[in-house]
Amino acid sequence: MRRHRHHLTVAAAKSHAALLKSGISSPTPWNQLLTAYSASGSGLATAPRVFDEIPRPDAVSWNSLLAAHVAAGAHPDAWRLLRSMHARGLAASTFALGSALRSAAAARRPALGAQLQSFAVKSGLADDVFAASALLDVYAKCGRLSDARRVFDEMPERNTVSWNALIAGYAESGNLAQAIVLFREMEREGLAPDEATFAALLAAVEGPSWCFLMQELHGKIVKYGAALGLVVSNAAITAYSQCGALADSRRIFDGIGSRDLISWNSMLGACAYHGMDDEAMRFFVRMMREGGVQPDMYSFTSIISVCSEHERDDRRGRGIHSLVIKIGLEGVTHVCNALIAMYSRFTENCMMEDANKCFNSLLLKDTVSWNSMLTGYSQHGLSSDALSFFRCMRSENIRTDEFAFSAALRSCSDLAVLQLGRQIHSLVIQSGFATNDFVSSSLIFLYSKSGMLGDARKSFEEADKSSSVPWNSMMFGYAQHGQAQIVTSLFNEMLELKVPLDHVTFVGLITAYSHAGLVDEGSEILNTMETRYGIPLRMEHYACGVDLYGRAGQLDKAKELIESMPFRPDAMVWMTLLGACKIHGNMELASDVASHLLVEAPGQHSTYILLSSMYSGLGMWSDRATVQKVMKNRGLSKVPGWSWIEVKNEVHSFNAEDRSHPRMNEIYEMLRMLLQVAQRLCSSKDEEILVTISSDT
């Protein structure tokens, strides 16, 4: 397309030079030149200058200039130009009115359409089928379907364009049933549907409930096949995918003789949408090898989303990223946003540095770009970085939405910086997001973790409680503080109000019973979750069950629960049981559990640390030495713990013997002073004890 437009521009420039040399004053060749420049895509760059060079511009010249402005999307300039034409008596024509109405439709300006309708009536053009169809399109695109229908019903004659405009209006508004009724009426009146008719209907097909209708439309497509092009076939691929009929999408794709990039993208998007990751990757490779097309931003956003699903394998993602750079699309916003989201989701290795490189390479950063980075930092536990990034967003006047607020509040929870969290809460209220599910959930989590259950409950009461999200957060808050009775009350209230339950609800409920030592109540929930509430047990429910029995010292029951699992237990389940073994000093079972953990998560340092600690506690020094030797051979070491302190809304982090802080010298000097004071206090206390002993003696 670009090459074709380039050739048109070159041809128009040659014609332009020839006209200037010839001195021709007739407007006809000049008008043809105006049209040629508009078709080349450089209309606004050259059309006004060409118009000024026309010796005697006529009505066609003005119409061509108006059409160039509309085609370029310069709608305000087009409307000013129309007023100039009206002042010269040149606006009352089908061509001028048609261009003006197309502009009003594209700009979604129904009020302007109504004014142009009045002008059409005064000018005697109201019954013109082309002008009426353009007016109908304005109302339909602006969602004013009653006005569109009135114009349609008053038309003395209708063509395919008018039918298409009304059908598209109903389809885009979500009333596909009415659009189909019109489609059938159109056929009964003897008008054959064209590409635009089917494109509008197919774009509105969404969900399995429309599968039967999709088959009917497919039959019509076959019937009118000779008159329909590739656009309809591509739209049918996507429509069948939306219905869940991926096999039908594939049949249409395979039946296309000469596929274009949209054909490949439609099939690639269909595979990605249905989670067929390997098939999507095969299609992408096939498109590169034999498709004869180069992937565009839509191709890459689809295939990058597939790579994002493989959270532990970054090789595919890196390979696709290399290809993005090679083709030159790294600075494109949608592609870069997809890459940021992909790197943010990789869990095996934190790849936020790669995400940050993508972010910095962006030419135009939108809200999605900023939110993806902020969420990535928050989810990877880089809470200090997340809050710094949030401050940067605020200083850059980036619109803060519910996703940004939720991520920032979660980071405040992780760092236990309550004062900063309260300030963000104030911003939440000002921005009107206090009732949002995810924001209110983050607020509840923040206050619960800080021990402010009253504030957590207040946030819960202010939330929109139609979904389970705020309920689950409040249940977890009370569960962490051992208030199982209140958790039970909340659960019963959810049942009374018919709030939809989900798997997270039951994790919170079992956690509450586990922390409160209510083994029988927790066991009953585990045994009746699926039969009574319709929620199948997942890995996290079994882990909670193991914790329930483990805390109560019922290690045999915990082990039996693991053995009864219908799927292979993961590291989280075994780690929970190992922790229970440490609490109750069961070294025999701990060794057995550790053998499973070393298979499931051989690189998890906490397994070795826990075992080493257990051996030390029992005086089994040789076994402890063996564990430490294995750790050393595998290149593992204990991850140091960090401490945080908030000073004037800035978070400072430290670990043992840390010397990275810019005020390190002052901090260590203060520590030395405190140690000296502590030593003096201890010495004084010792002296008091000696005096007391000697006097007693």
Side-chain angles (χ1 to χ4, degrees), residues 147-167:
D147 292 321
R149 186 71 202 225
R150 188 171 60 253
V151 172
F152 181 81
D153 291 338
E154 290 173 358
M155 290 176 69
E157 64 171 311
R158 306 182 188 107
N159 58 10
T160 306
V161 175
S162 53
W163 281 95
N164 285 349
L166 192 60
I167 288 170

Side-chain angles (χ1 to χ4, degrees), residues 269-299:
C271 291
Y273 178 79
H274 287 282
M276 300 179 65
D277 301 345
D278 293 335
E279 186 70 10
M281 190 60 70
R282 280 193 290 270
F283 259 102
F284 184 77
V285 172
R286 186 179 161 197
M287 176 175 72
M288 295 285 293
R289 287 177 178 170
E290 59 186 74
V293 293
Q294 181 169 283
D296 63 359
M297 71 172 190
Y298 300 105
S299 319

Side-chain angles (χ1 to χ4, degrees), residues 192-263:
D194 60 10
E195 282 189 353
T197 320
F198 283 108
L201 291 171
L202 291 168
V205 173
E206 191 172 318
S209 59
W210 293 106
C211 198
F212 182 76
L213 173 64
M214 183 58 215
Q215 290 170 346
E216 179 188 342
L217 286 174
H218 193 182
K220 298 290 184 182
I221 292 169
V222 173
K223 176 182 175 182
Y224 296 105
L228 303 177
L230 194 55
V231 172
V232 174
S233 296
N234 294 340
I237 292 171
T238 303
Y240 264 129
S241 169
Q242 292 291 322
C243 290
L246 198 60
D248 293 301
S249 295
R250 181 62 187 266
R251 268 196 294 274
I252 293 175
F253 177 83
D254 290 340
I256 297 174
S258 180
R259 306 181 187 103
D260 62 3
L261 179 59
I262 298 173
S263 312

Side-chain angles (χ1 to χ4, degrees), residues 501-632:
L501 306 176
D502 58 23
H503 70 281
V504 182
T505 310
F506 289 93
V507 172
L509 190 58
I510 301 168
T511 299
Y513 292 143
S514 175
H515 285 209
L518 301 174
V519 179
D520 293 339
E521 289 83 346
S523 296
E524 185 183 357
I525 291 296
L526 277 170
N527 295 328
T528 59
M529 255 181 64
E530 189 160 7
T531 55
R532 185 183 299 175
Y533 303 105
I535 307 292
L537 274 79
R538 294 164 60 147
M539 191 72 75
E540 49 266 46
H541 300 122
Y542 283 103
C544 289
V546 171
D547 186 58
L548 173 77
Y549 294 124
R551 282 174 182 264
Q554 300 179 19
L555 299 182
D556 290 340
K557 279 194 174 182
K559 189 179 179 185
E560 286 173 14
L561 181 63
I562 294 177
E563 290 170 350
S564 70
M565 289 174 62
F567 37 76
R568 183 175 176 175
D570 66 0
M572 175 178 63
V573 174
W574 290 116
M575 185 61 74
T576 304
L577 182 55
L578 183 60
C581 291
K582 181 180 186 296
I583 293 169
H584 297 286
N586 190 330
M587 198 63 235
E588 184 181 350
L589 181 57
S591 299
D592 182 43
V593 171
S595 65
H596 290 287
L597 265 171
L598 295 177
V599 172
E600 292 296 328
Q604 180 59 263
H605 74 281
S606 53
T607 305
Y608 303 89
I609 299 300
L610 200 55
L611 272 176
S612 177
S613 174
M614 290 181 72
Y615 285 132
S616 298
L618 295 171
M620 301 168 68
W621 305 112
S622 61
D623 293 294
R624 177 179 180 270
T626 302
V627 170
Q628 290 183 331
K629 185 178 180 182
V630 172
M631 278 187 74
K632 186 177 180 180

